[in-house]
Amino acid sequence: MDSDTVRLLADTNPLPETIDARLRQQLSFLIEVDRLKTVLRQSPLAAVNRRENDAEHSWHLALMVVILAEHADEEIDVGRTIELVLVHDLVEIYAGDTPLYDVEMGVDQAEREVVAAEALFGLLPADQATRLRALWDEFEARRTPEARFAKAMDRLEPLLLNWMARGGTWRTPGVTADDVRARKAVIGDASASLWAAGRELIDEGERRGWSRPGRDVATG
C-alpha cells in the first residue's frame, strides 16, 4: 500500500464535524488502523487452517507479555511492554509484512517502515504522534528491557505457531534449522529460559524432519 496516495478509511464516511476536533482526529486514526486486520502474515494459526493477520499477532503478543513476564531476565514494566507490542506492527498497514526469511524484501524494510511510521502516526494529534512514534522507535532499537522482551515475544509467538503446524514457515525453500535458530536467537537477549525452551522446539522440529537439517544440532 502506498501511504502517499492512500485514502483514509474515515474519509469514505466522514465523522460529524460536531465532534471535538482532537477526538475526531483520534477516532479517524483508530478507524484507519482497522486495516491491520487485513495484513496477513506467513505464520499459520494453531486453531484453524489459515494464516494469522497482524492484529491477531499483536493481541497474542500482548497476552504473552502478561503471562510470560516472570521469565524476563531483567525487571520489566508490563504495561509499557504491552504498549510496545501493540504498536510495533502498525506500520505494516502501509509498509506491508516482511516475512522473516525473505532476504530480498528485508533489504529495504527499514526504509519502508520509517516512511509508513511518519505517515500513520502523523494522523494523530501531535503529542500522541510523538509518543507512539517513540514507542515504535524503542521497539526497533531494543535498548530497553521492555523492548528486548517485546522483541522476544515477537519471535516466540510464530515459533509456537510453527511448532503446532509441524514446521510452518520453517519449511520455506532454502531455510534450514540453523537459519531458524539465528533468527530466533534474540529471544535470548531477554530471557534465557524462554530461549532454552524455544531452542528445544527448534531442535526437536529438526529431529522430526519439520525443517531442513542444519549443522548446529543441539544435544541438550
Side-chain angles (χ1 to χ4, degrees):
M1 180 181 297
D2 185 346
S3 59
D4 292 328
T5 60
V6 66
R7 184 184 184 191
L8 298 182
L9 291 177
D11 289 344
T12 66
N13 190 22
L15 296 166
E17 293 290 333
T18 50
I19 296 176
D20 171 78
R22 177 182 173 88
L23 177 56
R24 192 167 64 250
Q25 192 172 1
Q26 292 168 325
L27 294 177
S28 294
F29 172 83
L30 292 172
I31 291 169
E32 186 68 9
V33 299
D34 189 65
R35 293 184 189 271
L36 197 67
K37 301 170 186 176
T38 71
V39 180
L40 288 179
R41 296 168 49 81
Q42 297 301 307
S43 302
L45 293 180
V48 294
N49 184 27
R50 68 169 174 84
R51 291 153 57 190
E52 72 170 346
N53 64 53
D54 264 351
E56 293 166 331
H57 172 68
S58 297
W59 161 81
H60 211 169
L61 297 192
L63 187 58
M64 288 174 70
V65 171
V66 173
I67 301 300
L68 300 177
E70 66 186 64
H71 298 281
D73 289 343
E74 303 172 272
E75 184 176 350
I76 61 170
D77 180 323
V78 171
R80 183 172 186 83
T81 310
I82 289 173
E83 288 182 322
L84 291 171
V85 299
L86 289 177
V87 167
H88 86 288
D89 268 348
L90 288 178
V91 298
E92 294 187 0
I93 288 171
Y94 295 151
D97 175 60
T98 301
L100 187 61
Y101 304 109
D102 191 325
V103 176
E104 185 176 340
M105 278 194 70
V107 170
D108 67 345
Q109 178 182 1
E111 180 182 349
R112 284 186 288 109
E113 291 187 350
V114 166
V115 171
E118 292 174 352
L120 184 64
F121 299 137
L123 300 177
L124 283 164
D127 60 318
Q128 291 187 319
T130 298
R131 185 170 184 275
L132 263 66
R133 176 59 189 271
L135 286 170
W136 183 75
D137 287 336
E138 180 181 345
F139 178 91
E140 292 296 311
R142 288 187 287 141
R143 294 196 186 98
T144 65
E146 289 79 11
R148 287 189 287 274
F149 196 77
K151 186 67 174 182
M153 298 300 96
D154 190 38
R155 292 294 167 86
L156 179 60
E157 188 257 9
L159 194 162
L160 294 175
L161 294 180
N162 284 329
W163 168 264
M164 291 304 300
R166 294 171 171 76
T169 63
W170 297 347
R171 299 179 184 272
T172 300
V175 173
T176 69
D178 283 347
D179 295 322
V180 178
R181 293 185 189 95
R183 293 289 190 171
K184 301 296 185 178
V186 295
I187 297 172
D189 293 342
S191 172
S193 61
L194 291 179
W195 177 224
R199 172 119 183 188
E200 180 55 30
L201 294 179
I202 297 168
D203 294 346
E204 182 61 23
E206 180 181 7
R207 287 190 285 266
R208 296 185 187 188
W210 297 349
S211 61
R212 290 170 183 79
R215 295 185 302 275
D216 183 15
V217 181
T219 58

